[in-house]
Amino acid sequence: MSMNLTETDSDRLLAALRAVLADKAIATGAEITERIRVTDAGGPAQGARMVARAWADPTYRALMLADGARAAEALDIPMRGLPPLGVLEETPGLHHLVVCTLCSCYPRAVLGYPPFWYKSAAYRARAVRDPRGLLAEWGTVLPDTVKLRVVDSTADYRWMVLPLRPAGTEGWDEARLAAIVRDGDMIGVTIPAIAT
C-alpha cells in the first residue's frame, strides 16, 4: 500500500517529528530553525571570502590549512554541529579535485548546496576513473608535471580547495579577490582566473 501525502499531511508529519525531537531533548524548535537559517546562508560567497582572506593574510591562511572549521568560524561562518572541514592547498606542482564517491557530501556551510553535477553518478565516476579528462571538459588542462590528487569528501569529513592565487592580483583587496573565486575553484574542477 502506498501513501499519498498531501501538503497538509507532510506539514503534520514535520510538526510531529519536531515535537518528538523537542520532547526527547534532541533539538528545540528554535535550534531547528537556526540550523535551517545557517544552512540556507551557506554559499560559494562564504568560501570565496575564506579563500580571499587566505590569499591576503598568511596568518589566516595557516589557520585555514590547519583547521578549516575554525577558520570559517573566524569569519562568522557557523560550523557548530557540522563535520570537520579540511582545506587542500593547491601548489604549482599539486592540484586537488574533490568528489564524494558515495553520494554528495559537501561543505554546505562554506559552499552552499552542491551543484547538480557534483551529485551526478557521471561526475563521481569520472572524477575517480579519468580525473584529467573530466577537468579538461571544464577547461582545466593541467601540465603533465602537475600531480593530480582526487580527495573523497565523506559524511565524517568535508573538503574544500584553497586554489592558487592568480598572477596579476597583487594589491587587490579581499572583496575584489573574493569576486573572482567560483564554487568550481573550491572543488578543484576550475582554476581562478582574472578577465583579460
Side-chain angles (χ1 to χ4, degrees):
M1 180 174 137
S2 67
M3 289 183 59
N4 185 10
L5 297 178
T6 66
E7 186 175 345
T8 303
D9 291 338
S10 63
D11 289 342
R12 281 193 293 252
L13 182 60
L14 179 58
L17 177 60
R18 285 181 175 215
V20 168
L21 291 172
D23 288 345
K24 297 204 176 273
I26 295 171
T28 66
E31 290 170 331
I32 293 169
T33 299
E34 175 61 11
R35 178 50 50 199
I36 291 169
R37 186 197 66 73
V38 166
T39 300
D40 288 346
Q46 300 284 44
R49 285 193 312 125
M50 292 175 66
V51 169
R53 175 70 56 91
W55 285 345
D57 179 351
T59 302
Y60 182 81
R61 181 173 177 242
L63 172 63
M64 188 170 164
L65 294 172
D67 188 336
R70 280 187 44 225
E73 291 277 356
L75 294 184
D76 297 322
I77 302 168
M79 298 296 289
R80 192 187 111 224
L82 298 176
L85 175 64
V87 179
L88 305 160
E89 182 180 24
E90 305 291 44
T91 68
L94 177 62
H95 184 88
H96 296 91
L97 176 63
V98 177
V99 64
C100 177
T101 56
L102 295 178
C103 56
S104 60
C105 294
Y106 198 72
R108 291 181 182 186
V110 296
L111 297 183
Y113 291 98
F116 73 92
W117 52 263
Y118 182 85
K119 300 183 282 186
S120 74
Y123 172 78
R124 295 184 344 241
R126 291 276 315 283
V128 174
R129 191 179 67 248
D130 180 23
R132 284 187 187 271
L134 174 74
L135 291 179
E137 290 176 14
W138 283 88
T140 304
V141 179
L142 303 173
D144 291 338
T145 56
V146 175
K147 180 180 176 183
L148 177 56
R149 188 170 132 206
V150 178
V151 179
D152 199 4
S153 202
T154 69
D156 296 326
Y157 209 90
R158 306 295 165 88
W159 294 98
M160 71 176 280
V161 171
L162 173 58
L164 284 170
R165 182 175 179 167
T169 61
E170 299 77 16
W172 287 21
D173 65 21
E174 288 181 29
R176 190 172 178 197
L177 288 169
I180 64 169
V181 180
R182 301 164 292 174
D183 55 351
D185 303 336
M186 295 176 284
I187 302 166
V189 293
T190 55
I191 296 172
I194 56 175
T196 54

